[in-house]
Structures are given as structure tokens and as C-alpha cells.
Amino acid sequence: MTDYPDTALHIDGHWRQGAHKRTLAVHNPATGAVIGQVACAETTDLEEAAQAAERGFAVWRGTSAFARYKVMRQAAQLLRERVETVAHLMTLEQGKPLAEARMEVLAGADTIDWFSEEGRRAYGRVIPARQSDVYQLVIQEPVGPVAAFTPWNFPINQIVRKLASALAAGCSIVVKAPEETPASPAELIRVFIDAGVPPGSVNLVYGDPAHISSYLIAHPSIRKMSFTGSTAVGKQLASLAGLHMKRMTMELGGHAPVVVFNDADVALAAKTMVASKFRNAGQVCVSPTRFLVQEEVFHEFVEQFILHTQQLQVGNGLDARVQMGPLANPRRVAAMEDMVADAQLHGAQIKTGGHAAGAAGNFWTPTVITGLPSTAHAMTQEPFGPLALINPFASFDDAVREANRLPFGLAAYAWTRSARTAQRIAAAVETGMITINHLGLGTPETPFGGIKDSGYGSEGGSEALQAYMNPKFVSQAGLL
Ligand code: NAD
């Protein structure tokens, strides 16, 4: 028995099944058991969702920024009140420890609050004209109905950034949420419905991701798309969006370097980065992955990193003592097996972990690998799992060369006591975000996004709101 509900679509103000009443099974990654079903949208449902979003847009864009802010603040409040229920669902379907799920839900409420406020400050500007009786205005207008596609690693966080910035800008939205973790995102949608968004302004679908994205991106009612997921899929969707001249935000894969210099606080770096590496079992786009440690402190760092890693409690996320849950699906376990086997073939040393665990569920032991050549799979593909790869470096230039070797450029980390080194490494690494001597990424008020193959556009800060608005230039002469 489980207290996990089946998940419905939400189209034009109604919770309902898809046209063919098709469903997909949802599994608990800690046990492998089927815990529920999620409804699948057919083409007719997608058409209804797109049309509903067009009607919902007309109503929502006509709602004042102040009234929109009040609805959004109410949604945030409802999400806080429901934190225990929603976090429980998230742990059941995704596997992460309950404490992480709670944090994600509460951070989601903070994100809604921040964007709701920011929507009230989406100022245009007045540009001095070349004639005295002319006013030149820049007005910010919402882009229109948005299609958003989000993955299973952060069922709420991945949606809430897109949803809150779209709604704050005055856009309507059709969300294609993850089929593998559908119930907690549906609760996110529910708080907006309960807070009083107009019918059609927020729609939720699940089903065949490729069919849904190709239908919605091409649909004339949809004016912008936002995708979070792998670089491979992101490139396909970007080309489709380009074909149909749709605006887009792409938050794709990463392979974050962590540069630890000789003068770093090694103990703090090791402790902090272990917590960060194994959060959500490493299934995080900004997860620290390639640890580059300067030769003098290499052994000290590896030793301390292993010590903290071995202390992690792995198990079912519903157990309050657990710090790392299972991987979210069996595909990730297979990927870890392949990467570790390949690392061994490349002569690397598995310092701890390196194998599956538990009689049931997708458990993998937190893994530390050293001596991995850059040709190994894990050093070129995003592991997206609990693998820490640690190699030594000699000079600043060596570290930068390795940090910039891959086509990814999402997040980077550095540890040093030197202000000059901090400044130089921040300038030298090709990345969308870098955090030095602490963990400082991901608040709603700061930019969040990558460069190179990690995508483009921001999902945080005022830049995120701009991504959902078109500037309109109005030049108006006085009638004399
Ligand atoms: P995947 O690439 O098939 O799917 C990733 C996500 O994209 C899923 O949510 C999936 O439903 C969605 N997706 C896939 N094809 C799509 C399409 N044509 N249109 C719309 N959405 C589509 O692989 P996966 O096994 O689910 O995840 C593995 C890889 O995906 C990871 O190794 C990682 O690189 C990447 N990923 C990244 C993030 C992130 O936060 N950036 C999150 C999850 C997965």
C-alpha cells in the first residue's frame, strides 16, 4: 500500500485523463515497486492545451502586474503550507532524502515569491528623443504562451523557475513535466490553480516527450519554449525551435570542474564538496565532477574527501538518517556501471564505492575515482550520478586547460585563499557560473545558466524575466 496518488493532466482549468485514457506506471526508485500511474496526453489533448494557453494568455496578460503578484504570492504560501505532503511525494517518486525534498519545495516557494515581486518591477524606459515633442518609450510585453519541458532530477525546481518567470512576465504556459516523477510537479501546478490563476493560463501534460515537444514547439500559439535536460536532446529541440522562429531558453548538461589550489582551506573544501557532489545522488546539472587538485595538497584532499564520502548514509530517502537516496531510474545505474568499468579499463583507481548496492531499488555507492585519463568516458560524458573524479594538476595554466577542455560550460568551483588567484580563475574558466570558496549557486535572484554546449539563457535573476518579455519600442510625437 502506498499513499501516492495517480497523476492527471491539467488542461483549460480541468484535471483530467488523456483522450485515450492511456497511462504510464510510476516506480519508487528505492524499491522498484510500481506506486501509481500518470495520464498521457494525445495529440487532441495537446491541441486543447495549446488553444487553452492562447485564451489563458489573453486573460493573464490583461491582469495587472499587481494582481498577478497577489495570485503568485498566494501560490507560494500554499506551497509552504503543503510542504510535508509534496516533499513526501517527491521522495517516493524520485528517491532523494526527505530533507532535500523539503528544501526543494520551500526553495520553490521562495522562487515564486521573488519572481512575483520582480514582475511588478518589469520597468520599460524612456529614451530622450531628437525632437522636443517626441516621446520614445520601451515597453516590456509578455512573449505569449510558453511550452516548458522539464526533467526528473528536481521535479519542482526545474519547473518553478520557468513557471514563475513566465507568469510574472504575463505569459501563459503549457508544462510538459517528467513522467517518471509526476505527482510532486502536479502539486506545484495545483497551488497555482488553488490560488486563482485563470483557466488556460497554467496547463500540465505528460506523455511521449518527443511527440509533445515536436507538437507544441511547432504550434503557432506557442511563442517561446524552455527546456532543461541533456545537451543531445536540447540540440534537437533548439533546431526545431529555430525552424519555427520560437524564442528559447536551454538549460543543458554540465561537467563542472572544481579547482583546488595549494593555498586552499583543504579541509573545508573537501567537506563542502562531498556534500555538494552527492546531493541528489549527483544527478544535478551543476554537480561538481572533475576535481582538479594542485599537486602539493592532492593527497590531503583525496584522503579527506574519501573520509567524508565513506561517512554518508545511503538508503531509502524516507529514513531521516539517510543523506543519499537511490538513483532515480535504472538507466542511471547502468550508466554508472559502464563508466566505472571503463575507468578501470583506463587504469584508474576506484578509491571507494564503485558498485551497485541493496537487494532492491537503484542504489549506487558514493564513488571516488583517481588517476582517470581524459579519454575515459566519465571524463568526457556527464556522469549524472555519484562519481567524483579527482586528478592532480601542476600549474594554474594546466588547471585552466583541463577545466576548459570539454564543450560544456555550466558551473565551476574553485578554492583558494588568494584574492588574485580567485580573480584570475573566475576570469579564465569558460563557464556560465563559478562559485569560489563556498557554494553560492541557484538562488532565484542570481543568474543561472550555461554557455557552450550547456545552453543559453538564464533561469535566475532579472535576466530570467527578460527571457519571457519582448521589448516594444514606441515613438510618439505630440499632436500640435
Ligand atoms: P534523456 O536525455 O532522454 O532525457 C532527459 C530529459 O529530457 C527527460 O526529462 C526526458 O523526458 C526529456 N526528453 C527526452 N527527449 C525529449 C524530447 N524529444 N522532447 C522533450 N523532452 C525530452 O535522458 P535521461 O536518461 O532521462 O537523462 C539522462 C541525461 O539527461 C543525463 O545524463 C543528463 O545529461 C541529462 N539530464 C540533465 C538534467 C539537467 O538538469 N540539466 C536533468 C535530467 C537529465
Side-chain angles (χ1 to χ4, degrees):
M1 283 298 288
T2 168
D3 47 349
Y4 185 90
D6 290 344
T7 304
L9 313 175
H10 188 86
I11 297 173
D12 205 10
H14 300 287
W15 292 99
R16 43 170 260 207
Q17 294 300 300
H20 298 168
K21 306 217 167 359
R22 219 161 36 96
T23 61
L24 288 169
V26 182
H27 296 82
N28 180 339
T31 62
V34 172
I35 50 174
Q37 300 288 323
V38 55
C40 291
E42 311 298 338
T43 303
T44 52
D45 303 309
L46 300 176
E47 181 58 34
E48 284 174 40
Q51 290 186 18
E54 180 139 16
R55 290 191 299 275
F57 174 56
V59 178
W60 189 241
R61 78 173 300 184
T63 306
S64 73
F66 185 59
R68 292 199 297 250
Y69 146 88
K70 286 208 270 191
V71 171
M72 292 180 70
R73 289 297 297 262
Q74 172 67 8
Q77 188 50 33
L78 289 174
L79 192 56
R80 285 192 187 95
E81 287 169 14
R82 299 175 189 177
V83 58
E84 288 307 320
T85 316
V86 184
H88 187 76
L89 296 179
M90 193 188 292
T91 294
L92 281 175
E93 64 191 6
Q94 204 275 346
K96 66 182 63 183
L98 205 45
E100 281 185 32
R102 266 192 212 106
M103 262 166 39
E104 183 173 339
V105 175
L106 294 175
D110 292 346
T111 298
I112 300 167
D113 274 347
W114 191 80
F115 278 106
S116 74
E117 296 274 1
E118 204 64 6
R120 298 170 67 193
R121 300 184 187 111
Y123 306 125
R125 66 190 198 277
V126 180
I127 301 171
R130 296 184 178 198
Q131 287 166 253
S132 61
D133 64 339
V134 169
Y135 284 111
Q136 299 189 129
L137 311 175
V138 181
I139 294 167
Q140 299 289 354
E141 294 188 334
V143 293
V146 172
F149 307 91
T150 65
W152 40 262
N153 57 339
F154 290 96
I156 292 229
N157 176 56
Q158 303 286 25
I159 297 177
V160 77
R161 288 168 170 275
K162 303 179 197 302
L163 179 60
S165 41
L167 290 177
C171 299
S172 60
I173 193 164
V174 181
V175 177
K176 203 294 285 171
E179 291 73 23
E180 289 169 310
T181 60
S184 57
E187 292 308 309
L188 173 67
I189 300 301
R190 194 183 308 283
V191 297
F192 283 92
I193 308 302
D194 292 352
V197 290
S201 54
V202 177
N203 304 276
L204 172 68
V205 296
Y206 301 91
D208 172 4
H211 177 61
I212 296 176
S213 58
S214 55
Y215 192 85
L216 289 180
I217 292 171
H219 198 285
S221 296
I222 299 296
R223 298 311 319 160
K224 177 188 163 87
M225 65 84 74
S226 178
F227 172 75
T228 300
S230 61
T231 294
V233 174
K235 285 184 174 177
Q236 286 170 24
L237 300 190
S239 63
L240 188 59
L243 193 65
H244 295 278
M245 201 52 75
K246 302 292 168 79
R247 284 185 69 174
M248 57 183 129
T249 301
M250 286 284 168
E251 209 274 88
L252 308 178
H255 204 294
V258 183
V259 187
V260 182
F261 290 97
N262 281 339
D263 64 354
D265 182 336
V266 172
L268 183 64
K271 189 171 175 220
T272 310
M273 295 322 290
V274 165
S276 175
K277 172 71 250 180
F278 298 107
R279 178 172 74 108
N280 202 9
Q283 302 162 116
V284 183
C285 53
V286 297
S287 185
T289 295
R290 275 171 301 149
F291 292 81
L292 319 174
V293 185
Q294 204 157 10
E295 282 165 350
E296 234 173 74
V297 293
F298 179 74
H299 290 293
E300 184 188 351
F301 181 84
V302 170
E303 210 169 88
Q304 296 203 25
F305 198 93
I306 293 170
L307 201 73
H308 291 296
T309 301
Q310 288 173 339
Q311 286 168 357
L312 289 171
Q313 295 286 326
V314 180
N316 189 320
L318 292 178
D319 180 338
R321 290 163 303 180
V322 161
Q323 293 161 296
M324 191 181 106
L327 299 180
N329 53 57
R331 298 189 300 285
R332 299 284 7 110
V333 178
M336 295 307 103
E337 273 162 1
D338 284 354
M339 282 189 180
V340 169
D342 175 77
Q344 282 168 321
L345 279 179
H346 279 83
Q349 289 175 277
I350 313 299
K351 291 290 196 178
T352 186
H355 53 86
N362 313 320
F363 291 98
W364 187 267
T365 45
T367 301
V368 178
I369 305 178
T370 60
L372 203 53
S374 58
T375 46
H377 284 169
M379 288 292 277
T380 51
Q381 316 291 317
E382 185 178 26
F384 220 66
L387 303 189
L389 319 172
I390 314 183
N391 278 336
F393 72 88
S395 69
F396 181 91
D397 289 348
D398 290 342
V400 170
R401 206 171 300 116
E402 170 55 25
N404 292 341
R405 176 177 56 87
L406 294 179
F408 299 110
L410 188 58
Y413 303 80
W415 292 83
T416 173
R417 283 192 173 93
S418 154
R420 176 174 150 71
T421 306
Q423 199 175 6
R424 286 178 71 210
I425 196 71
V429 178
E430 294 166 1
T431 185
M433 304 171 270
I434 182 163
T435 176
I436 302 172
N437 292 333
H438 80 138
L439 299 176
L441 307 180
T443 57
E445 59 271 23
T446 54
F448 189 95
I451 59 170
K452 298 162 70 178
D453 272 4
S454 296
Y456 44 76
S458 180
E459 298 237 276
S462 47
E463 290 84 353
L465 198 66
Q466 292 296 327
Y468 290 86
M469 296 193 301
N470 291 326
K472 179 185 272 179
F473 174 56
V474 179
S475 183
Q476 181 184 333
L479 294 174
L480 298 176

Coordinates of all heavy atoms in Angstrom, one line a residue, residues 311-367:
Q311 N 31.4 8.3 5.1 CA 30.5 8.5 6.2 C 29.1 8.8 5.8 O 28.2 8.8 6.6 CB 31.0 9.8 7.1 CG 32.2 9.4 7.9 CD 32.8 10.7 8.5 OE1 32.4 11.8 8.2 NE2 33.9 10.5 9.2
L312 N 28.8 8.9 4.5 CA 27.5 9.2 4.0 C 26.6 8.0 4.3 O 26.9 6.8 4.0 CB 27.5 9.5 2.5 CG 28.2 10.8 2.1 CD1 28.3 10.8 0.6 CD2 27.3 12.0 2.6
Q313 N 25.4 8.3 4.7 CA 24.4 7.2 4.9 C 23.5 7.1 3.7 O 22.9 8.1 3.3 CB 23.4 7.6 6.1 CG 24.1 7.8 7.4 CD 24.4 6.4 8.0 OE1 23.6 5.4 7.8 NE2 25.5 6.3 8.7
V314 N 23.6 6.0 3.0 CA 22.8 5.7 1.8 C 21.6 4.9 2.1 O 21.8 3.9 2.9 CB 23.7 5.0 0.8 CG1 23.0 4.8 -0.5 CG2 25.0 5.9 0.5
G315 N 20.5 5.2 1.6 CA 19.3 4.4 1.8 C 18.0 5.0 1.3 O 18.1 6.0 0.5
N316 N 16.9 4.5 1.8 CA 15.6 5.0 1.4 C 15.5 6.4 1.9 O 15.6 6.7 3.1 CB 14.5 4.1 2.0 CG 13.2 4.4 1.4 OD1 12.8 5.6 1.2 ND2 12.4 3.4 1.1
G317 N 15.2 7.3 1.0 CA 15.1 8.8 1.4 C 14.0 9.1 2.5 O 14.1 10.2 3.1
L318 N 13.1 8.1 2.7 CA 12.1 8.4 3.8 C 12.7 8.2 5.2 O 12.1 8.7 6.1 CB 10.9 7.4 3.6 CG 10.1 7.6 2.3 CD1 9.0 6.6 2.3 CD2 9.5 9.0 2.3
D319 N 13.8 7.6 5.2 CA 14.5 7.4 6.5 C 15.3 8.7 6.9 O 16.1 9.1 6.1 CB 15.5 6.2 6.4 CG 16.3 5.9 7.7 OD1 16.4 6.9 8.5 OD2 16.7 4.8 7.8
A320 N 15.0 9.3 8.0 CA 15.5 10.6 8.3 C 17.0 10.6 8.4 O 17.7 11.7 8.3 CB 14.9 11.1 9.6
R321 N 17.7 9.5 8.7 CA 19.1 9.4 8.8 C 19.9 9.5 7.4 O 21.1 9.7 7.3 CB 19.6 8.2 9.5 CG 19.2 8.1 11.0 CD 19.3 6.7 11.5 NE 18.4 5.8 10.7 CZ 18.3 4.5 10.9 NH1 18.9 3.9 11.9 NH2 17.4 3.8 10.2
V322 N 19.1 9.2 6.4 CA 19.7 9.0 5.1 C 20.2 10.3 4.4 O 19.4 11.3 4.4 CB 18.7 8.2 4.1 CG1 19.1 8.3 2.7 CG2 18.7 6.7 4.6
Q323 N 21.4 10.3 3.9 CA 21.9 11.5 3.2 C 22.0 11.4 1.7 O 22.1 12.3 1.0 CB 23.3 11.8 3.8 CG 23.3 12.2 5.2 CD 24.7 12.0 5.8 OE1 25.2 10.9 5.9 NE2 25.3 13.1 6.2
M324 N 22.0 10.1 1.2 CA 21.9 9.9 -0.2 C 21.0 8.8 -0.5 O 21.1 7.7 0.0 CB 23.3 9.6 -0.8 CG 23.3 9.7 -2.3 SD 25.0 9.3 -3.0 CE 24.7 7.6 -3.7
G325 N 20.0 9.1 -1.4 CA 19.0 8.1 -1.8 C 19.5 7.3 -3.0 O 20.6 7.3 -3.4
P326 N 18.5 6.5 -3.6 CA 18.9 5.7 -4.8 C 19.0 6.7 -6.0 O 18.6 7.8 -5.9 CB 17.6 4.8 -4.9 CG 16.5 5.7 -4.3 CD 17.1 6.4 -3.2
L327 N 19.5 6.1 -7.1 CA 19.4 6.9 -8.4 C 18.0 6.8 -8.8 O 17.2 5.9 -8.4 CB 20.4 6.2 -9.4 CG 21.8 6.2 -8.9 CD1 22.7 5.6 -10.0 CD2 22.3 7.6 -8.7
A328 N 17.6 7.8 -9.6 CA 16.2 8.0 -9.9 C 15.6 6.9 -10.8 O 14.4 6.7 -10.8 CB 16.0 9.4 -10.5
N329 N 16.5 6.3 -11.6 CA 15.9 5.2 -12.5 C 17.0 4.2 -12.9 O 18.2 4.5 -12.7 CB 15.3 5.9 -13.8 CG 16.3 6.8 -14.5 OD1 17.4 6.4 -14.8 ND2 15.9 8.1 -14.6
P330 N 16.7 3.1 -13.3 CA 17.7 2.0 -13.6 C 18.7 2.5 -14.7 O 19.8 1.9 -14.7 CB 16.9 0.8 -14.1 CG 15.5 1.1 -13.6 CD 15.3 2.6 -13.6
R331 N 18.3 3.4 -15.6 CA 19.2 3.9 -16.6 C 20.5 4.5 -16.0 O 21.6 4.3 -16.6 CB 18.6 5.0 -17.5 CG 17.4 4.5 -18.3 CD 16.9 5.6 -19.3 NE 16.6 6.9 -18.7 CZ 15.5 7.2 -18.1 NH1 14.6 6.2 -17.9 NH2 15.2 8.4 -17.6
R332 N 20.3 5.2 -14.9 CA 21.5 5.8 -14.3 C 22.4 4.7 -13.7 O 23.6 4.9 -13.6 CB 21.1 6.8 -13.2 CG 20.3 7.9 -13.6 CD 20.9 9.1 -14.4 NE 22.3 9.1 -14.8 CZ 22.7 9.0 -16.1 NH1 21.8 8.8 -17.1 NH2 23.9 9.0 -16.5
V333 N 21.8 3.6 -13.1 CA 22.7 2.6 -12.5 C 23.5 1.9 -13.7 O 24.7 1.8 -13.5 CB 21.8 1.5 -11.8 CG1 22.7 0.4 -11.3 CG2 21.0 2.1 -10.7
A334 N 22.8 1.7 -14.8 CA 23.6 1.1 -16.0 C 24.7 2.1 -16.4 O 25.8 1.6 -16.7 CB 22.6 0.9 -17.1
A335 N 24.4 3.4 -16.4 CA 25.4 4.4 -16.8 C 26.6 4.4 -15.8 O 27.7 4.5 -16.3 CB 24.8 5.8 -16.9
M336 N 26.3 4.2 -14.5 CA 27.4 4.2 -13.5 C 28.3 2.9 -13.8 O 29.5 3.0 -13.7 CB 26.9 4.2 -12.1 CG 26.1 5.5 -11.7 SD 27.0 7.0 -11.9 CE 26.2 7.6 -13.4
E337 N 27.6 1.8 -14.0 CA 28.3 0.6 -14.2 C 29.3 0.7 -15.4 O 30.4 0.3 -15.4 CB 27.3 -0.6 -14.5 CG 26.9 -1.3 -13.2 CD 25.6 -2.1 -13.4 OE1 25.1 -2.2 -14.5 OE2 25.2 -2.6 -12.3
D338 N 28.7 1.3 -16.5 CA 29.6 1.5 -17.7 C 30.7 2.4 -17.4 O 31.9 2.1 -17.9 CB 28.7 2.1 -18.8 CG 27.8 1.1 -19.5 OD1 27.9 -0.1 -19.1 OD2 26.9 1.5 -20.3
M339 N 30.5 3.5 -16.7 CA 31.6 4.4 -16.5 C 32.6 3.9 -15.6 O 33.8 4.1 -15.8 CB 31.0 5.8 -16.0 CG 30.4 6.6 -17.1 SD 29.9 8.2 -16.5 CE 29.2 8.9 -18.0
V340 N 32.2 3.2 -14.6 CA 33.2 2.6 -13.7 C 34.0 1.5 -14.3 O 35.3 1.5 -14.2 CB 32.5 2.1 -12.4 CG1 33.5 1.3 -11.5 CG2 32.0 3.3 -11.6
A341 N 33.4 0.7 -15.1 CA 34.1 -0.4 -15.8 C 35.1 0.2 -16.8 O 36.3 -0.2 -16.9 CB 33.1 -1.3 -16.6
D342 N 34.7 1.3 -17.5 CA 35.5 2.0 -18.5 C 36.7 2.6 -17.7 O 37.8 2.6 -18.2 CB 34.7 3.0 -19.2 CG 35.5 3.8 -20.1 OD1 35.9 3.3 -21.2 OD2 35.8 5.0 -19.8
A343 N 36.4 3.2 -16.5 CA 37.5 3.8 -15.8 C 38.6 2.8 -15.4 O 39.8 3.1 -15.5 CB 36.9 4.5 -14.5
Q344 N 38.1 1.6 -15.0 CA 39.1 0.6 -14.6 C 39.9 0.1 -15.8 O 41.1 -0.1 -15.7 CB 38.3 -0.6 -14.0 CG 37.9 -0.4 -12.6 CD 36.9 -1.4 -12.0 OE1 36.0 -1.8 -12.7 NE2 37.1 -1.7 -10.8
L345 N 39.2 0.0 -17.0 CA 40.0 -0.3 -18.2 C 41.0 0.7 -18.5 O 42.1 0.4 -19.1 CB 39.0 -0.4 -19.4 CG 38.2 -1.7 -19.6 CD1 37.3 -1.6 -20.8 CD2 39.2 -2.9 -19.7
H346 N 40.8 2.0 -18.1 CA 41.7 3.1 -18.4 C 42.7 3.2 -17.3 O 43.5 4.2 -17.2 CB 41.0 4.4 -18.5 CG 40.4 4.6 -19.9 ND1 39.2 4.1 -20.3 CD2 40.9 5.3 -21.0 CE1 39.0 4.4 -21.6 NE2 40.0 5.1 -22.0
G347 N 42.8 2.2 -16.4 CA 43.8 2.2 -15.3 C 43.6 3.1 -14.1 O 44.5 3.3 -13.3
A348 N 42.3 3.6 -14.0 CA 42.0 4.5 -12.8 C 41.9 3.6 -11.5 O 41.7 2.4 -11.6 CB 40.7 5.2 -13.1
Q349 N 42.0 4.4 -10.4 CA 41.8 3.7 -9.1 C 40.5 4.0 -8.5 O 40.1 5.2 -8.4 CB 42.9 4.2 -8.2 CG 44.3 3.7 -8.5 CD 45.3 4.3 -7.6 OE1 45.7 5.4 -7.8 NE2 45.6 3.6 -6.5
I350 N 39.7 3.0 -8.2 CA 38.4 3.2 -7.5 C 38.7 3.3 -6.0 O 39.0 2.2 -5.4 CB 37.4 2.1 -7.8 CG1 37.4 1.7 -9.3 CG2 36.0 2.4 -7.3 CD1 36.9 2.8 -10.2
K351 N 38.7 4.5 -5.5 CA 39.2 4.6 -4.1 C 38.1 4.2 -3.1 O 38.4 3.8 -2.0 CB 39.6 6.1 -3.8 CG 40.8 6.6 -4.6 CD 42.0 5.9 -4.0 CE 43.3 6.6 -4.4 NZ 44.4 6.0 -3.8
T352 N 36.9 4.4 -3.4 CA 35.8 4.0 -2.6 C 34.5 3.8 -3.4 O 34.4 4.5 -4.4 CB 35.5 4.9 -1.4 OG1 34.6 4.3 -0.5 CG2 35.1 6.3 -1.7
G353 N 33.6 2.9 -3.1 CA 32.4 2.7 -3.8 C 32.7 2.0 -5.1 O 33.5 1.1 -5.2
G354 N 31.9 2.4 -6.2 CA 32.2 1.8 -7.5 C 31.3 0.7 -7.8 O 31.5 0.0 -8.8
H355 N 30.2 0.4 -7.0 CA 29.3 -0.7 -7.3 C 27.9 -0.4 -6.8 O 27.7 0.5 -6.0 CB 29.8 -2.0 -6.6 CG 30.1 -1.8 -5.2 ND1 29.1 -1.9 -4.2 CD2 31.2 -1.4 -4.5 CE1 29.6 -1.7 -3.0 NE2 30.9 -1.4 -3.1
A356 N 27.0 -1.2 -7.4 CA 25.6 -1.1 -7.0 C 25.4 -1.6 -5.6 O 26.3 -2.3 -5.1 CB 24.7 -1.8 -8.0
A357 N 24.3 -1.3 -4.9 CA 24.1 -1.8 -3.6 C 22.6 -2.0 -3.3 O 21.8 -1.5 -4.1 CB 24.6 -0.7 -2.6
G358 N 22.4 -2.9 -2.3 CA 21.0 -3.1 -1.9 C 20.3 -4.2 -2.8 O 20.7 -4.4 -3.9
A359 N 19.4 -4.9 -2.2 CA 18.7 -6.0 -2.8 C 17.7 -5.5 -3.8 O 17.4 -6.2 -4.9 CB 18.1 -6.9 -1.8
A360 N 17.1 -4.4 -3.6 CA 16.1 -3.8 -4.5 C 16.4 -2.3 -4.6 O 17.2 -1.7 -3.9 CB 14.7 -4.0 -3.9
G361 N 15.8 -1.7 -5.7 CA 16.0 -0.3 -5.9 C 17.2 0.0 -6.6 O 18.1 -0.9 -6.9
N362 N 17.4 1.3 -7.0 CA 18.6 1.7 -7.8 C 19.7 2.3 -7.0 O 20.2 3.4 -7.3 CB 18.1 2.8 -8.8 CG 16.8 2.4 -9.5 OD1 16.6 1.2 -9.8 ND2 15.9 3.4 -9.7
F363 N 20.2 1.6 -6.0 CA 21.2 2.2 -5.1 C 22.6 2.0 -5.7 O 22.9 0.9 -6.3 CB 21.1 1.5 -3.8 CG 19.9 1.9 -3.0 CD1 18.8 1.1 -3.0 CD2 19.8 3.1 -2.4 CE1 17.6 1.5 -2.3 CE2 18.7 3.6 -1.7 CZ 17.6 2.7 -1.7
W364 N 23.4 3.0 -5.6 CA 24.8 3.0 -6.0 C 25.6 3.6 -4.9 O 25.2 4.6 -4.3 CB 24.9 3.8 -7.3 CG 26.3 3.7 -7.9 CD1 27.4 4.5 -7.7 CD2 26.8 2.7 -8.8 NE1 28.5 4.0 -8.3 CE2 28.1 2.9 -9.0 CE3 26.1 1.5 -9.4 CZ2 28.9 2.1 -9.9 CZ3 26.9 0.7 -10.2 CH2 28.3 1.0 -10.4
T365 N 26.8 3.0 -4.7 CA 27.6 3.5 -3.6 C 28.3 4.8 -4.0 O 28.8 4.9 -5.2 CB 28.7 2.5 -3.2 OG1 29.3 2.0 -4.5 CG2 28.1 1.3 -2.4
P366 N 28.4 5.8 -3.1 CA 29.2 7.0 -3.4 C 30.6 6.7 -3.8 O 31.3 5.9 -3.1 CB 29.1 7.8 -2.1 CG 28.0 7.3 -1.4 CD 27.9 5.8 -1.7
T367 N 31.0 7.2 -5.0 CA 32.2 6.7 -5.6 C 33.3 7.7 -5.8 O 33.0 8.8 -6.3 CB 31.9 6.0 -7.0 OG1 30.9 5.0 -6.7 CG2 33.1 5.5 -7.7

